[in-house]
Amino acid sequence: MNSQHPDRTELVLAVTDPAAIQPEATESEATQPEAGSHPWHRFVALGDSFTEGVGDPEPGSEGGLRGWADRVAEELSEGQPDFSYANLAIRGLRMQQILDRQIGPALALKPDLITLSAGGNDIVFRRSDPDKLAEKMDDNVGLLTATGATVVLFAGPDWGATPVLGQVRGKVAIFNENLHTVAARHDALIVDLWSLRELADPGMWDPDRLHFSPLGHHTIAAAVLTALGVPHTLKPLEPKQLPARSWKEARSEDLVWAREYLVPWVIRRLQLRSEEGLAAKRPQAGPVFGVGRLPGQFSRGSAA
């Protein structure tokens, strides 16, 4: 026998040994996100109308708005039975109001993931100094990251092509550069809306040209998840809809929710009330889809 050729027995073992047969993963298997493949369990979102979800109306969401933060929470809840989410954002607030009213309640919830967006109303409507705004952010971002939580900031979008708003383009650009410095100093993540090319499409914006449309919020949610390094099921230009619930599911869920979440929500609503009578839509951290429903149950396979 030629010693250069393998023994027949070795060939048989090589073929029949399961370890020797490693089929290649199909394209769908290779790109399928892993459920629950992230370290976070409690997400709290801070900010103004951008984070509240204005421009993305959804009767099935708390407060009648969905927005990028809800969409992020939906994906993060996938495969995480103990995942909870609170959204303290209130439209119209300026930076100092956000910091004064939301930082404390947010820390009391003991989150391990925090998003903070503030300063847009100051720059757009008050023509505030972007350097002074950044100084305020710097101290508070340091306070948030000192808890050990992952903190995500947002560089503002480019309103250069929008009449009137284009006049503040330079201030937004300066503020964005400052935010990059703040994020680097405190090891925070930053989602750069200015460089997110998809947002140049008019379809990403609400007709008021100030807020994002459902498609825009969907696109930003995907950008946030990408910045976090989380596998997700959000597809470009295909925003998901919240699926309808059965009457039985809704009623059984409401009974538990009323007892465990309604009363605390009312109390916090009074505490967080602004001069205009507005309050956070999700002041208590709770399951994304409500008590009694598996977190993430409706986030997969429900493309619009």
Side-chain angles (χ1 to χ4, degrees):
M1 176 180 293
N2 190 336
S3 59
Q4 295 180 347
H5 295 285
D7 183 85
R8 179 182 178 84
T9 303
E10 294 175 345
L11 289 174
V12 172
L13 287 175
V15 173
T16 57
D17 183 4
I21 306 175
Q22 299 291 340
E24 294 185 3
T26 64
E27 182 176 352
S28 60
E29 291 173 336
T31 59
Q32 185 67 29
E34 265 187 64
S37 54
H38 66 81
W40 300 287
H41 300 277
R42 177 163 291 193
F43 166 35
V44 176
L46 314 180
D48 51 28
S49 58
F50 166 68
T51 300
E52 187 183 356
V54 173
D56 189 8
E58 173 53 67
S61 294
E62 293 188 48
L65 296 171
R66 196 175 179 192
W68 64 264
D70 282 23
R71 294 172 184 271
V72 167
E74 291 160 16
E75 292 293 311
L76 293 178
S77 70
E78 185 75 33
Q80 293 274 29
D82 63 341
F83 185 82
S84 61
Y85 160 56
N87 189 320
L88 308 184
I90 301 175
R91 71 194 73 179
L93 295 189
R94 299 187 299 278
M95 177 182 287
Q96 194 61 56
Q97 294 173 310
I98 292 171
L99 300 177
D100 289 345
R101 300 178 188 182
Q102 297 177 19
I103 295 289
L107 294 178
L109 294 173
K110 300 186 183 304
D112 51 15
L113 174 62
I114 304 169
T115 60
L116 172 60
S117 175
N121 289 324
D122 300 78
I123 293 177
V124 173
F125 300 112
R126 303 277 176 158
R127 302 296 198 269
S128 299
D129 185 330
D131 294 315
K132 291 181 179 179
L133 291 175
E135 290 177 7
K136 295 180 181 179
M137 286 287 283
D138 189 42
D139 292 338
N140 285 274
V141 171
L143 181 64
L144 295 176
T145 56
T147 67
T150 299
V151 176
V152 180
L153 307 178
F154 294 84
D158 185 359
W159 277 298
T162 305
V164 181
L165 292 182
Q167 297 176 10
V168 299
R169 188 171 188 252
K171 287 181 177 291
V172 174
I174 293 172
F175 184 54
N176 286 348
E177 286 302 308
N178 286 334
L179 284 180
H180 280 283
T181 300
V182 170
R185 178 178 295 133
H186 299 291
D187 293 324
L189 299 176
I190 190 162
V191 177
D192 194 343
L193 302 184
W194 184 287
S195 62
L196 194 58
R197 295 181 177 232
E198 294 93 328
L199 297 183
D201 187 331
M204 298 284 176
W205 293 83
D206 185 79
D208 68 8
R209 300 188 184 183
L210 284 170
H211 301 99
F212 292 99
S213 66
L215 180 58
H217 280 282
H218 166 82
T219 302
I220 293 167
V224 173
L225 292 164
T226 298
L228 291 171
V230 176
H232 59 84
T233 62
L234 301 185
K235 298 179 181 179
L237 305 179
E238 294 184 21
K240 291 182 176 181
Q241 292 181 345
L242 288 177
R245 294 177 294 165
S246 70
W247 180 89
K248 183 177 181 180
E249 287 175 328
R251 296 294 75 77
S252 62
E253 184 176 288
D254 288 345
L255 292 175
V256 181
W257 172 82
R259 181 179 71 249
E260 299 190 10
Y261 290 91
L262 178 58
V263 174
W265 181 84
V266 171
I267 294 174
R268 291 295 294 276
R269 183 182 178 90
L270 293 175
Q271 293 174 342
L272 295 174
R273 189 174 299 278
S274 68
E275 293 91 348
E276 297 80 12
L278 299 176
K281 66 178 184 178
R282 291 182 64 107
Q284 290 287 356
V288 174
F289 288 104
V291 179
R293 177 174 297 135
L294 293 176
Q297 179 178 348
F298 295 133
S299 65
R300 189 181 296 278
S302 56

